[in-house]
Amino acid sequence: MTAVDLAKVIDRARVILLDFDGPVCSIFAQRPAPTVAHELRRLLVDQGVTLPPEILAERDPLAVLRFTATLGRPAVVRVIDQAMTGEEVTAARTATPTPYGREVIVAAQQTGRRVAVVSNNSAESVHAYLSARRLSGYVHPVIGRPEAAPKRMKPDPFPVLEAVRELGAEPADCVLVGDSETDIQAAHAAGVAAIGYANKPGKRERFAAAEAVIDSMAELVAAFAVDEL
């Protein structure tokens, strides 16, 4: 995939949907994700949940949260979801901005596009980050994971469709920028184009289904600038 692919996608897009952790910032830069996953496991054990080996070894706290959907215990799901939200809000205060993430948001606005965040992180943590970075006025809506409903996180298209609905947009006018295969899957299930952000080695190969792939958010800034010419 080339800059031509990216230019075509950007030319069509009137709405930019951004995943949060990756394209906008690294939320767990100072509060490591494996530490958060450990805390969630501790809470699950306190709730009398027996953890399978794959969850005992899991380093991604969102994967631990997703596991709770298999338990058939809504009260436990809510406890873990609330704990995760608390961890995320705390982590958002020390999150590391993604290089050119801010510039993408501002450039999209300056070229007449609307920007929204669609994240498996909590809306509260996204709002906390955007407010601290004085970006709240540039981004609406913020769609975080559905409260205590981990089954509806991406790759389920629900959050993407919710953003499209709130914006009063058509899926064909939108593009989702994400750094995981679940972002690409959720976008396509919602009828939205996808740009894969390959911010780590090996990711580019996993984004074969995306309409375009970038290695840096700077490529998006450049694409917006070209589109304005």
Side-chain angles (χ1 to χ4, degrees), residues 35-50:
T35 300
V36 177
H38 175 76
E39 290 301 318
L40 298 186
R41 282 194 293 270
R42 184 181 59 77
L43 281 174
L44 283 168
V45 171
D46 288 347
Q47 298 290 319
V49 175
T50 300

Side-chain angles (χ1 to χ4, degrees), residues 44-126:
L44 283 168
V45 171
D46 288 347
Q47 298 290 319
V49 175
T50 300
L51 302 178
E54 63 272 18
I55 296 301
L56 286 170
E58 182 58 62
R59 297 170 60 83
D60 180 0
L62 284 172
V64 178
L65 174 60
R66 199 185 297 277
F67 160 73
T68 66
T70 69
L71 299 175
R73 296 174 61 182
V76 172
V77 176
R78 189 166 296 278
V79 166
I80 302 305
D81 186 64
Q82 289 175 346
M84 180 68 180
T85 296
E87 292 279 2
E88 289 167 329
V89 170
T90 298
R93 299 188 189 119
T94 56
T96 299
T98 296
Y100 296 97
R102 181 187 187 90
E103 288 82 353
V104 164
I105 292 171
V106 174
Q109 281 278 356
Q110 289 176 340
T111 56
R113 295 171 172 87
R114 290 177 290 173
V115 182
V117 165
V118 181
S119 178
N120 281 346
N121 297 114
S122 64
E124 292 92 333
S125 63
V126 179

Side-chain angles (χ1 to χ4, degrees), residues 170-218:
E170 294 295 327
D173 294 330
C174 304
V175 61
L176 174 68
V177 183
D179 70 332
S180 71
E181 291 169 275
T182 57
D183 291 314
I184 312 303
Q185 293 162 3
H188 287 169
V192 169
I195 296 172
Y197 173 37
N199 56 346
K200 292 180 181 177
K203 279 193 173 184
R204 178 171 280 272
E205 293 73 19
R206 299 204 296 269
F207 293 153
E211 280 69 22
V213 180
I214 58 175
D215 297 305
S216 167
M217 295 296 282

